[in-house]
């Protein structure tokens, strides 16, 4: 897995502006009710890098930049979804993300020296027709194939083959999906 390293203490003014704009957009989006579907969709399209048809993001969504998130058609993220999009997050068509799911392209070094000063990022790719169960976590650098089911509460630390069910912490193969 290729890691791109970033300083947490030397953030450029340009990046600070992007983060500030993202913060305002997220607060605005999270203040809307589910009845305000069209306004929410407009904000999703402004916030994300690219969006297919019929996107849905539930209440209490959070991300770093937004512009690094790319979702396909019929994207559905339930309540309390957090996407740390230091690097790109690409999600295919017809994907369901359950409540309280975290998708994290960012990570920190294992050694305590300098851990607080820098962060690394690796992109995450999620295929088409994927269902990520509630309270699951997808970690940096992972690729999830088409048709996958991530069981609720799983922590995905490695790539997942298409049309499989994985579960656990760390998530492991449970069975093939026909």
């Amino acid at each position: 897995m290729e890691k791109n390293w970033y300083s947490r203490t030397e953030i450029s003014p340009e990046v600070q502006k992007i983060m500030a704009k993202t913060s305002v957009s997220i607060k605005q989006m999270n203040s809307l009710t589910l009845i305000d579907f069209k306004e929410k969709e407009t904000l999703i399209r402004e916030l994300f890098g690219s969006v297919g048809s019929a996107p849905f993001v539930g209440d209490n969504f959070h991300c770093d930049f937004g512009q690094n998130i790319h979702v396909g058609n019929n994207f559905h993220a339930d309540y309390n979804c957090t996407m740390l999009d230091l690097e790109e997050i690409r999600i295919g068509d017809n994907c369901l993300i359950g409540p309280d799911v975290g998708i994290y392209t960012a990570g920190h070094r294992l050694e305590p020296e300098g851990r607080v000063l820098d962060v690394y990022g690796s992109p995450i790719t999620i295929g088409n027709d994927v269902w990520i169960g509630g309270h699951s976590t997808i970690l940096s650098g992972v690729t999830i194939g088409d048709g996958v089911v991530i069981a609720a509460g799983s922590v995905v630390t490695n790539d997942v083959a298409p049309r499989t069910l994985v579960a656990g912490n760390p998530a492991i193969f449970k069975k093939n999906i026909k």
Side-chain angles (χ1 to χ4, degrees), residues 57-96:
V57 174
D59 293 342
N60 201 30
F61 174 81
H62 296 281
C63 67
D64 292 320
F65 300 99
Q67 67 187 21
N68 293 328
I69 300 169
H70 304 272
V71 300
N73 298 323
N74 306 312
F75 170 75
H76 180 100
D78 220 324
Y79 306 100
N80 303 319
C81 181
T82 299
M83 296 187 187
L84 300 184
D85 63 318
L86 183 63
E87 293 287 331
E88 282 194 343
I89 297 171
R90 294 206 168 264
I91 301 173
D93 295 337
N94 307 311
C95 289
L96 297 169

